[in-house]
Amino acid sequence: MIRFLQTPGPTKKIVLSTLLLIICGGMVITLIPGGLGSDLMGQPSQGVLAKVAGQDITTQEVRDRARALAESQVAQYGPMGKQLLPMIMPRAISQSVEQLITGRTIVAEAERMGLKATPDDVRDELQHGRYAVPRR
């Protein structure tokens, strides 16, 4: 193999140079994080965790939802709750990501199917549907 590469010949040099350029180009395209039009490659842009039906779910949305969720859980534990925050926060973040993705997916699928609900429909379902609180 080494003797083959050491022998002179313009065809050999052109073929090996082309192969080397293809390998280098492939490395540039695949190894640069967020580079070369990451939206074109199907990767989300900076600060975007997921894309659902063309809508971005940003890190800021997840942080806000996770903070609210963690604060509500900390409030349940009273004065000792602040000490539990480092243990609660990772779970709150994962729950927030799941909730945001699931919620956006459900809304996108409902829109795709043509389902629409007016505020009166929602109010009626809450008052008389399966989630209604029975009056005593």
Side-chain angles (χ1 to χ4, degrees):
M1 177 79 179
I2 293 176
R3 292 230 185 256
F4 170 74
L5 295 174
Q6 288 177 346
T7 57
T11 308
K12 226 180 289 180
K13 287 181 181 178
I14 292 172
V15 170
L16 291 175
S17 297
T18 305
L19 184 62
L20 186 61
L21 283 173
I22 290 171
I23 291 171
C24 289
M27 289 175 65
V28 166
I29 290 172
T30 58
L31 297 178
I32 294 177
L36 294 179
S38 60
D39 257 354
L40 297 174
M41 303 287 282
Q43 298 172 350
S45 58
Q46 193 74 8
V48 176
L49 293 175
K51 207 173 244 210
V52 178
Q55 294 180 339
D56 294 340
I57 296 176
T58 63
T59 54
Q60 187 61 42
E61 287 177 284
V62 172
R63 274 191 215 120
D64 294 342
R65 170 120 3 149
R67 187 175 300 119
L69 186 60
E71 287 175 359
S72 69
Q73 290 177 357
V74 164
Q76 294 174 355
Y77 295 108
M80 298 296 286
K82 292 276 186 204
Q83 296 172 352
L84 297 174
L85 191 59
M87 291 181 282
I88 292 173
M89 200 59 178
R91 186 165 182 217
I93 290 171
S94 65
Q95 284 178 345
S96 299
V97 170
E98 279 185 42
Q99 289 173 357
L100 283 168
I101 290 173
T102 303
R104 298 254 172 101
T105 304
I106 289 171
V107 169
E109 185 63 16
E111 287 175 357
R112 186 189 69 78
M113 293 173 64
L115 301 175
K116 294 180 182 169
T118 65
D120 291 333
D121 294 336
V122 174
R123 190 176 307 111
D124 184 56
E125 179 65 25
L126 290 173
Q127 289 175 349
H128 306 292
R130 66 175 153 170
Y131 298 112
V133 177
R135 294 186 182 174
R136 296 176 190 169

